[in-house]
Structures are given as C-alpha cells and as structure tokens.
Amino acid sequence: MNKNETTLLMLSKKVKFAGLFLALLAASPFAKAQNNPTVTVGGKTFKDLNNNGKLDVWEDTRLSVDKRIDAIIKQMTNEEKVNLLIGTGMPGIEVLTGPVGDSKQGLVPGAAGGTDSFDRFGIPATIVADGPAGLRIQPTRENDSKTYYATAFPVGTALASTWNKNLLEQVGKAMGNEVKEYGVDVLLAPALNIQRNPLNGRNFEYYSEDPLISGKTAAAVVNGIQSQGVGTSIKHFAANNEETNRLTINAHVSERAMRELYLRNFEITVKESQPWTVMSSYNKVNGVYTSDSKDLLTQVLRKEWGFKGIVMTDWFGGFPEFESIRDGGISDVVKQMNAGNDLLMPGIPAQKKVLLEALNSGKLSQEVANLNAKRILEYIFKTPTFAQYKYSNNPNSVQNAETTRNAAAEGMVLLKNEQNALPFANKQKEVSLFGVTSYAWITGGTGSGSVNNKHTVSLLEGLNSAGYKLDKELVDLYKPHAEKEAAAELVERKKKGILGLPGRLSEMKMDDAFLDKKAETSEIAFVTLGRNSGEGGDRVVNEDFNLATEEIEMLDKISKAFHAKGKKVVVILNIGGVIETASWKDKVDGILLAWQPGQEGGHSVADVISGKVNPSGKLTMTFPVNYADHASAKNFPGIPADNPKDVTYQEGVYVGYRYFNTFDVKPSYEFGYGKSYTDFAYSNIKTNSTTFNNKLEVTVDVKNTGKVAGKEVVELYVSAPGKSIDKPKSELKAYAKTKDLKPGESQTITLTLNPKDLASFETAKSAWIAEAGNYKVSIGASSLDIKQTSEFSVPKELVVEKVQHILPADEKFEDLKP
C-alpha cells in the first residue's frame, strides 16, 4: 500500500477527521529547488552543493559515485545516518495517530513521503508518490491558481490484458513523464502481486494469477517509467495477497509455492528492468514480517537475483497494527535494518529514537547502517532532484490521454459475441443505454491506486462523442439517478474514513411496459454492470462477486423485451476484478470486459463498440463458474474467520488455471481467453531441435483469415513429464502478440524457452530442476483452446539453479497434489 490519505485509515476506524487530514495535506508550502553556486578547480567547474566555497570529495564528478558516497558516509554522524535510513513522515498524520512529532512536507503536496535533506553535504530531500494507475498528488494548492492534475491510466488488470510489451512501455513512459514533470523522484508502482483469490480488494492493481505475465508486464511498465530518468518501487514483496488484517496476517506458504509463484514474478521484473526500489510488504510469511526477513530481502533479492537498488517498507510496514502507533508501538527497526530493509517509511520520530540508541550502543552495527545508507545515497544520486532538474509542472497531458485511451481499448476483452452483435457502427439507429454505471463510470479503484485526474469520460460521454444516437428519455431519467446515487455513495464512504471502501450503486427501477417501448424504438441495448473495490478491505461473494438480485432482474427484463423484438443486448463490464458470469451470460448477445479503463474509458469503449478498434485483449486470470471453484476459496481470508490471523496457502502451486486445468474444473472463461472481430488460423509449428540444449526456439505461423484487421495473442504452454515431482497440466512459459494483421496476412512468431522455463523447484534438493523426459509444447489462443502442439526431450536431468533454503515453515501442512 502506500500511502498518504490512503494508508492511514485502518489506523483508527473511529476517526472522523479524514477531511481535516486532506486539508492539511493540501495546505502544504511549495518551493522550487535553488541553483547552487559553482567552484572551479584546475580549470574545471563543479557545483558547490553545500555552498561552502570549496570542492568537497562528494562534489568532485571526476571521481566515481562510489568514492563520492563513501566520503559522505565517513563523515556522517550516527544521527545523520538514522535520519537518512528513516523517511521524513507524512504531513497531517497526527490527526490519526496522535502526536508523533514533526513530519516534513516535501515540495510536492499530496506525495506519499520522501528521504531527508543534509545541507552540509548538499544532499536534497527526494520525493516518492503513488501509484500504479498514474501519479497521485494534490490537484490544487493553497494560494495557487494553477492546477496539478495527473492522468488516470487503466488499472493493472486492464494493462496486463493487452499482453503487449511495447504498448506497456509506452504507458510507462507516459507515467514517467508526469512523475518527472511534477517534481517526483519515484513512483510507488507497479504492483504485481499474484491474484491468488478473486476477492482480494486490490486485484485491480495487480496483473495476473500467473507469474510470467505478472513479471513481464511489470518489467515493461518499469522500463517505460525509468526511461524518463525517474524511479519505480515494485510492490508488495511478497505474498501480500489480501487486504484483511494486512498488517498482521501470517501467510503460511511452502517454499515451492513461494519460489514458483509468489517470488517468480518479482524475479522476472528485477532481472528484466532493474527497478530503483522494491517495497517490502505488510504481511508475515511463515511467522516473519517480510520487512524483517533477511531470507527475502538479502538472500533472494540481492544474492540470488542481483538486485542493486534499495528496499523500502510499505507505509508502517512491520508495525503491529496501525492502532499500535497511538500506544507507542513501532516496528522492529534493528531487525528491519539487518534484513536489508534500507528505508523505513513513512518514518516517525519514535523509530528514529530507537534506531539511534541501537546504533550508539552497538546493537545495530556500523557495517549494516553504512551499507543501507550507501544504498540510499546511491539512489539519491540518480534522482532528478539531485541533478537539480527544473521540472515544468506541465506534463504532456494531451499525448498521455491519447496513450491511455489506446491502452484501455487494447486491454478490453471480448468475452461473448453471438451473431456479430459487435461491432455496432450504426449511428442513425437509436441505442438504449442502461445501467447506472454507464452514467457514473468507474475510472479505477480506491486507495493509493487512485489518481486525482481532472475529468473521466463516462460511457454516456464516449458514445455521444462518437456520434451515437442515444434514447433521450432514458438518458434524462438515468443522469439524475446516477448523480444522486454516486453522491450518496461518496457520503457513505467518507463516513468510514480515509480508507472507506466503495459501495455498489443501486439500479434504476423500470417496468416491463417501459422496456417494451424502448425495445420498439431502439436497435440495440447496451447495459453496463459496475464494480469497485479498494485498498484496506477485501471483496465479498454476495452482491459483489455475484450479481445483486436487482441486477439479475434488470438483465432478465431488458433481454426479454429486446429479444422479443429481435434486438440485441450487449453487456459492458466496468469492473476491476473477476465477477460471476456463468449464470447470466446466456441471456445476452455480447459481453465486453472493459475493466476500469482510466480517464478516457468512455472513448475507449466507443472505439471498440464501433469497430474503430478490434478487441485483442485476453484474460490474465480465470473467470470461474462459482467462487467456491477456486482452490484458495476455503483458505481465504484466513482463520479465525471473524478476525483472521493466519492464512494457509494449502493449494500450493495450484493457483488459477494451474488448478482449474489440472483438476479438470470447468471455468466460465478460461485463462488466456478473448475473442476478436476476425479469425486467426495457426499452422506450421516447428522447434529448432527435438532435444533441449540450453535453449529451444519454437515458431508458428498465424494468419488473419477473417474480414477485418486484428491482433492475436499467441500463448505457449509447456507440459512437463511430472515424474519426479507433481506438475500442473500445463504452464504458460512464453507469449507474443502479432502486429495488426490485415485480412489474409500472416506472421511467423518465434518464442524461446530457457532452462528455467522447464524447471520446477524441488524442495528436497533445494534446486530448480528440469527433469529428464519428454515435454509437450502447446500453442494456443487460450489455455484450453490449443491450436498446435509439438514435443521435445530433455535427455538428462538439468540442475538449473541450486539455492539456499529460505522461509522455514512455522506450521505443518501438505500442499495440494493432483
């Protein structure tokens, strides 16, 4: 999580001061960085960072950064080191925590926090801000007529559903542009936790139930953001898969499941994008807070994966509940430092006091403090703030809006399209637009993953703008209903405090005679179903995962009326996570999964509905028939049920499609599924060898056999022998997206398999092992819709990587096996 208004709420459910907190946040002073004088030595000019009129070692750019930083650390007092290792706080937090001492307001109001400044070394304060769907800062400032709105990009599920690395990098570049031009150094994103269970309240921020798509998606976003010269913080490391009691929940996970699922996504991201920072999570794994875990933060992250950046805690990570702050509770700062958690965020004076005592007494060694301080200084030296970048407060908003519009359209998944219900391009015939969410559109989820954007394009606005002829009577009835419902929901949410969770809006009541009239005059019905969720709480089955009775009635009545007149009904899903579809999907002609598509969402949906964009998104998670069909359902959110303290990942590696496909549980829509307005034929699968030797190349031809241009996601699944250890029936190991293929056009796709793609983690051997035997490669349009297969063999067992055991179990249980 992170942070500013966000985090705080669970702090105290009794607090009613959210408005005051936000006012405090908004009323912060604002100042621009100053130019430094220079000093000339031997004919070369250097910045005099600390204004002392002489060239200090750390100012001498002829020296390596390493030497310059070492010179600073050598001179730092224990107190200065502590001030560097602990963040500068969060302004306004006292409203919730009681007095915790001073918090420093950084230069960007609404940012989540930052690191301290040290004038005698010329080290400036750096700034970090949320979040995964775009930069979250205060849009207005006191005594300032200018506005500071940021772009709200599509949520994580929408971005991942594009399966398009190049597009994701473009989104990252657009995010990075706003981060840099608004004076922020690190964006607290992306969030890539595995979607273990569909009820996680923050699944909208996350990418997938699969570690490959999670890791590759995050890497593309990180590479895009960091290409702009600002940093990222990939989060929440690790096994942070629920919001219920998130600060204290103890996740019991086997080492195999940790390494193959919950760490593998982070490993891919670290190795393929070198994020500046990693954020440790709130939860415990096998009894140890992740921010206290040397196994995670040093052994795995740094020694095994070669991570070079800093680790920061989540906001108040390692605290025994937010409420504890009032009573003087703090995290175990020495344990966190020893684990390799360099920066404690947001930072409160009580932590500094304990850490300083530990450093003075020797309880914390100088060696550890210096190492962590050095890593933080290495980060600071990379920042735009340190380089005195003159940010404009004027990002490329118009261009970024275009980027988000395109990304949202490409992430939409066409779940159903009977008799070509879509595209519907007729602008002369009347359209009936139903569903309160069509008019009160959901941009994205709540909490630190939200964005303060200027305007969201609703579906109503998008269809109007595209020139559709909407039933005016319906619009005139729905608009005031939607405004009233949305306003009432906001009031209810504010009563719950800063992390109040969003509620569902009630649907408008309509009788059969009214609907018959609409079916008479309209050519088609569009019906939007909406869902929202947010940080600080998980979703529920009734009236959230499942449809509410009034929604089912609305669909039944509309379908009956329109079908009686031979007209079609298309449902648009404006949702952040998975919902139940099996019980109602047969009642309608088309279903477009639009996700929560960011600020341009209404335009993006209109682009797809009209056929201007051919949908090419595919599911990165399973849509089950029933919630209970998920293997994790019986272990979520944990026990005791009324106030969970422990959650056991008893399903092991059988999460999502690995479970459904291996145990033959029929989904409503399977992992990797998504339709198009055209058709594709797969042919000519080839491997460059029948024997695996260090790597294997697989090629396949994909041809557009339909009537319109379109893109296809090509998915490669591997089935391993599974003799020495149980394996899922098949696992996604590579994928690619074709270019926009014209009708009749073909493209040859090449996918590569490396040794680790064949390997499983065998706990008994503490190694990644690719067993000997025959492997099957399946190329498909989804995990179940396999188009081409081939085989290859591994002649003898490969020990791909030997590692140390980590995270010893604190509770005995057996992982699920087929």
Side-chain angles (χ1 to χ4, degrees), residues 1 118 132 163 175 314 411:
M1 128 171 180
F118 300 87
W163 299 61
M175 288 179 176
D314 202 338

Side-chain angles (χ1 to χ4, degrees), residues 5-6 8-10 18 446-447 489-490 492-503 533-537:
E5 21 171 318
T6 42
L8 300 167
L9 171 58
M10 297 187 51
T446 64
E489 189 279 323
L490 209 54
E492 279 307 303
R493 202 190 311 174
K494 282 189 171 158
K495 278 184 196 164
K496 300 175 203 162
I498 289 169
L499 283 187
L501 295 171
S533 68
E535 180 178 3

Side-chain angles (χ1 to χ4, degrees), residues 417-691:
N417 197 24
E418 290 298 304
Q419 296 165 328
N420 300 326
L422 294 175
F424 180 81
N426 193 321
K427 309 285 171 83
Q428 270 65 55
K429 300 232 170 126
E430 200 164 76
V431 171
S432 276
L433 185 60
F434 295 102
V436 65
T437 315
S438 298
Y439 303 84
W441 191 254
I442 302 163
T443 317
T446 64
S448 58
S450 64
V451 177
N452 295 314
N453 59 303
K454 190 172 188 176
H455 174 69
T456 291
V457 178
S458 68
L459 185 53
L460 171 68
E461 186 184 335
L463 294 177
N464 274 331
S465 174
Y468 282 95
K469 187 179 168 191
L470 299 180
D471 181 300
K472 189 174 178 319
E473 184 188 19
L474 205 52
V475 171
D476 289 345
L477 285 168
Y478 259 114
K479 269 176 79 174
H481 170 77
E483 280 164 19
K484 183 169 140 275
E485 280 295 317
E489 189 279 323
L490 209 54
V491 168
E492 279 307 303
R493 202 190 311 174
K494 282 189 171 158
K495 278 184 196 164
K496 300 175 203 162
I498 289 169
L499 283 187
L501 295 171
R504 188 180 63 79
L505 306 186
S506 295
E507 291 297 344
M508 192 168 77
K509 304 282 177 274
M510 294 168 284
D511 62 26
D512 292 342
F514 177 78
L515 290 172
D516 288 342
K517 197 173 76 176
K518 295 301 154 203
E520 188 74 53
T521 56
S522 286
E523 185 63 18
I524 193 166
F526 291 131
V527 189
T528 303
L529 296 175
R531 287 290 182 275
N532 207 356
S533 68
E535 180 178 3
D538 290 313
R539 294 171 59 203
V540 293
V541 175
N542 293 339
E543 300 202 355
D544 185 350
F545 181 83
N546 292 340
L547 295 199
T549 307
E550 64 168 9
E551 291 173 313
I552 295 164
E553 280 172 8
M554 174 178 74
L555 278 185
D556 283 345
K557 285 179 162 186
I558 294 168
S559 297
K560 189 177 154 209
F562 275 72
H563 288 158
K565 301 281 195 300
K567 310 282 178 68
K568 293 191 171 118
V569 178
V570 173
V571 169
I572 289 144
L573 296 176
N574 180 201
I575 59 182
V578 175
I579 64 166
E580 185 276 322
T581 52
S583 69
W584 58 268
K585 65 183 181 183
D586 292 341
K587 299 172 184 176
V588 300
D589 305 284
I591 305 171
L592 179 65
L593 173 55
W595 296 118
Q596 292 167 347
Q599 68 178 41
E600 304 298 311
H603 290 321
S604 305
V605 175
D607 289 344
V608 173
I609 281 172
S610 66
K612 184 179 163 187
V613 171
N614 186 352
S616 62
K618 299 218 177 186
L619 295 179
T620 60
M621 74 296 287
T622 306
F623 273 54
V625 172
N626 298 298
Y627 168 68
D629 290 346
H630 262 279
S632 63
K634 52 183 172 291
N635 286 299
F636 185 93
I639 52 170
D642 60 338
N643 187 23
K645 292 184 170 50
D646 294 272
V647 59
T648 301
Y649 288 32
Q650 201 136 18
E651 69 282 354
V653 296
Y654 297 98
V655 170
Y657 74 92
R658 286 170 167 78
Y659 173 72
F660 285 86
N661 297 0
T662 307
F663 288 79
D664 294 320
V665 179
K666 192 175 160 38
S668 180
Y669 295 109
E670 73 270 16
F671 176 88
Y673 172 89
K675 295 174 81 71
S676 170
Y677 296 154
T678 190
D679 298 299
F680 298 95
Y682 290 65
S683 63
N684 204 20
I685 188 172
K686 287 182 185 153
T687 57
N688 66 341
S689 169
T690 53
T691 310

Side-chain angles (χ1 to χ4, degrees), residues 140 153 240 275 539 637 662:
T140 56
F153 292 90
N240 181 183
R539 294 171 59 203
T662 307

Side-chain angles (χ1 to χ4, degrees), residues 316-336:
F316 302 102
F319 278 75
E321 288 291 6
F322 286 133
E323 286 85 351
S324 67
I325 299 167
R326 284 183 176 273
D327 310 322
I330 63 162
S331 61
D332 190 331
V333 293
V334 175
K335 251 192 198 159
Q336 289 173 315

Side-chain angles (χ1 to χ4, degrees), residues 733-753:
K733 293 299 177 184
Y735 63 88
K737 195 165 199 172
T738 67
K739 63 183 186 184
D740 203 24
L741 295 174
K742 296 182 189 71
E745 190 178 3
S746 293
Q747 184 179 350
T748 301
I749 295 291
T750 303
L751 298 163
T752 305
L753 292 172

